[in-house]
Amino acid sequence: MLTLDTELARAFWGEGVLDVEVAAGADVLARCAAGAGAPKDAIGWLDVDKWAGKKELEHVEELATRVRERADTLVLIGVGGSNNASRAVAEALRPAGCRVVYAGNTLSAAELNRVMDELSGHDVVLDCVAKNFETLEPGVTFRLLRQWLESQVGTAEAARRIVCTGTPESHLETLCREHGWAFNPFPADVGGRFTALTPVHLLPLAAAGVDVRALAEGARAEMSALRAASAGENCALCYAAVRHLAYERGCAVELFASFEPRLRWLGLWWQQLFAESEGKEGRGLLPVVASYSEELHSLGQFVQDGSHVMFETFLDVTTPCDGDSCSVGDSSVEDGFGYLDGRDLWDVNHAALAATQRAHAEVLPVVTLGMERLDAEHYGRLFAFFEFSCYISATLLGVNPFDQPGVEAYKHRMFAALGKDAC
Ligand code: PA5
């Protein structure tokens, strides 16, 4: 289960202020829950069963089995929405299937050479994920890694080790037909950053050994509950209302903080979702990820004592899983930490979390999203929660959550400099 605790923000803003904001968002909630007014080619993710239903799960599991029979390593070639969700789950849950290596998210030669070194000696399958297949990073990386793979195992075997996740009837699908590469359909009605619960990410996650059925089930339960809940009971609307109120009251930044380093990649997924969906027309909150307690020793100073331009959302895993306990043994060395004797590091970390929340709440609005467990089901719930709340939040802000016109500006200049149109 997920819970949103807004008590500290309510105390900061004053009695009833957030409730007024939530009530004012009731119409937007109703429209978003129905997908009303959004382009039909953007909201396929609202119905979790459409892209993570029985048929899709069987399809990705079958493809994943084929990947695992052939390889110990899957290279996920993709950037932005074609990369982040898989990485958020696989890096946190550390599943026992195929190792996943990430590429196609940089133009650094040193990084690509490092990836090729890392792949050497392994049985490798490439998954090129590209909705448009025009993005430079995955495009050039796919070519280079394909050539590398062919040099290792020959063209015929390489063809059996390539999967492309692309839009049906795209150039990438044509290439798959021509070269005998497997094809995994990228939903035409879902934009990159909203694809967490579609075959785009279900395939690499299934290959990695994540329980994709639990992921889909958690998402389905959360999305249905959020679409059905009234304004006063709706955590997604409440979170969107917190963001909107903070923005209206002069905040420029939302800090997304967690005391669990394994959640860093979830933070980066969240950052991309909100930055590309909301940062437009001169509006929006800058989403910034904070990894505590390490960054209490850097950002922490600014948050407590610098200019108060932000509000803070904490993500807290409330129940320990296997590996989340580590008892601090007594020591005969007088090291000054005797007050920790016999305590568990899980509890120490949570004491630091609670202290930070209280300290920061004195100077800025603080909310906490509680996630009961760090498992596939809860990742599904988180993806559904943030995607739906992002849709509401951007609608409250008055921007289109589903386009990203700002990223075109650098692309035009880069493609011109590289002579793309001359070819
Ligand atoms: O959310 C988005 O739409 C973007 O972040 C895309 O996912 C990203 O630009 C990659 O696009 P593509 O899959 O077409 O290469």
Side-chain angles (χ1 to χ4, degrees):
M1 289 297 160
L2 303 182
T3 49
L4 184 69
D5 182 347
T6 55
E7 201 180 314
L8 293 171
R10 284 173 190 276
F12 185 88
W13 278 317
E15 185 67 32
V17 174
L18 181 57
D19 295 320
V20 171
E21 194 73 26
V22 169
D27 286 350
V28 166
L29 169 66
R31 276 191 279 128
C32 291
K40 289 280 170 279
D41 64 355
I43 50 165
W45 54 272
L46 253 188
D47 175 5
V48 174
D49 273 335
K50 185 168 186 194
W51 292 109
K54 190 169 175 294
K55 187 165 67 69
E56 288 72 26
L57 288 169
E58 281 170 6
H59 171 71
V60 296
E61 282 172 344
E62 191 195 311
L63 264 179
T65 304
R66 277 169 31 202
V67 168
R68 280 154 64 168
E69 279 166 1
R70 218 163 257 290
D72 59 33
T73 302
L74 176 82
V75 187
L76 196 169
I77 303 169
V79 69
S82 295
N83 169 316
N84 293 345
S86 295
R87 197 164 196 177
V89 182
E91 298 271 343
L93 302 188
R94 299 173 195 142
C98 255
R99 179 176 66 131
V100 184
V101 170
Y102 302 90
N105 50 356
T106 174
L107 296 171
S108 157
E111 177 60 14
L112 191 75
N113 286 327
R114 188 198 64 72
V115 166
M116 287 195 270
D117 284 348
E118 196 181 332
L119 299 180
S120 144
H122 287 275
D123 289 321
V124 170
V125 165
L126 306 180
D127 179 11
C128 175
V129 185
K131 182 163 187 173
N132 296 315
F133 199 48
E134 283 177 5
T135 309
L136 185 54
E137 292 90 339
V140 70
T141 304
F142 181 40
R143 183 194 284 194
L144 287 162
L145 288 181
R146 196 171 67 239
Q147 289 168 341
W148 172 85
L149 187 60
E150 285 168 356
S151 75
Q152 304 291 304
V153 297
T155 309
E157 178 57 17
R160 289 189 276 274
R161 292 172 179 229
I162 292 174
V163 184
C164 293
T165 301
T167 311
E169 294 173 37
S170 63
H171 178 49
L172 194 54
E173 188 183 21
T174 308
L175 289 178
C176 286
R177 266 199 307 275
E178 284 173 6
H179 296 275
W181 306 333
F183 184 70
N184 182 34
F186 194 124
D189 59 358
V190 185
R193 58 191 172 275
F194 288 87
T195 54
L197 302 159
T198 74
V200 172
H201 295 286
L202 294 173
L203 170 60
L205 289 175
V210 171
D211 182 349
V212 288
R213 286 175 187 264
L215 186 89
E217 189 43 51
R220 189 176 301 120
E222 193 66 35
M223 192 70 88
S224 315
L226 291 174
R227 289 180 74 182
S230 65
E233 306 290 320
N234 199 303
C235 297
L237 172 61
C238 188
Y239 175 57
V242 165
R243 303 185 86 251
H244 193 59
L245 185 57
Y247 180 69
E248 293 284 306
R249 297 220 164 180
C251 286
V253 175
E254 177 179 6
L255 267 184
F256 183 77
S258 141
F259 277 70
E260 181 49 69
R262 280 186 291 169
L263 293 171
R264 179 178 151 68
W265 285 100
L266 178 81
L268 294 178
W269 170 83
W270 165 89
Q271 184 176 55
Q272 191 228 345
L273 178 69
F274 280 93
E276 273 199 327
S277 302
E278 283 201 342
K280 48 197 76 158
E281 298 174 34
R283 277 179 270 173
L285 290 157
L286 176 70
V288 175
V289 181
S291 187
Y292 294 157
S293 61
E294 181 178 1
E295 288 169 1
L296 287 175
H297 301 265
S298 54
L299 289 178
Q301 168 62 35
F302 191 103
V303 176
Q304 192 75 51
D305 218 12
S307 54
H308 291 139
V309 293
M310 79 275 289
F311 81 100
E312 197 165 31
T313 299
F314 286 87
L315 179 61
D316 178 27
V317 183
T318 56
T319 313
C321 298
D322 284 353
D324 281 337
S325 172
C326 181
S327 178
V328 182
D330 297 359
S331 172
S332 56
V333 177
E334 290 291 332
D335 59 7
F337 293 95
Y339 61 95
L340 297 176
D341 287 355
R343 304 189 64 170
D344 198 285
L345 206 49
W346 170 273
D347 299 323
V348 175
N349 199 26
H350 274 80
L353 163 71
T356 307
Q357 288 167 320
R358 281 196 303 276
H360 290 184
E362 284 173 11
V363 291
L364 46 93
V366 164
V367 297
T368 303
L369 184 66
M371 157 188 203
E372 198 179 327
R373 276 174 209 288
L374 219 166
D375 61 12
E377 181 211 320
H378 283 83
Y379 259 88
R381 287 182 180 276
L382 283 175
F383 286 143
F385 172 82
F386 282 122
E387 286 180 4
F388 190 53
S389 54
C390 181
Y391 180 18
I392 300 171
S393 180
T395 309
L396 288 171
L397 189 64
V399 298
N400 175 1
F402 305 118
D403 64 2
Q404 52 283 328
V407 296
E408 296 306 319
Y410 93 88
K411 282 189 188 173
H412 287 316
R413 288 167 175 78
M414 175 181 69
F415 286 137
L418 293 170
K420 183 182 181 209
D421 294 335
C423 293

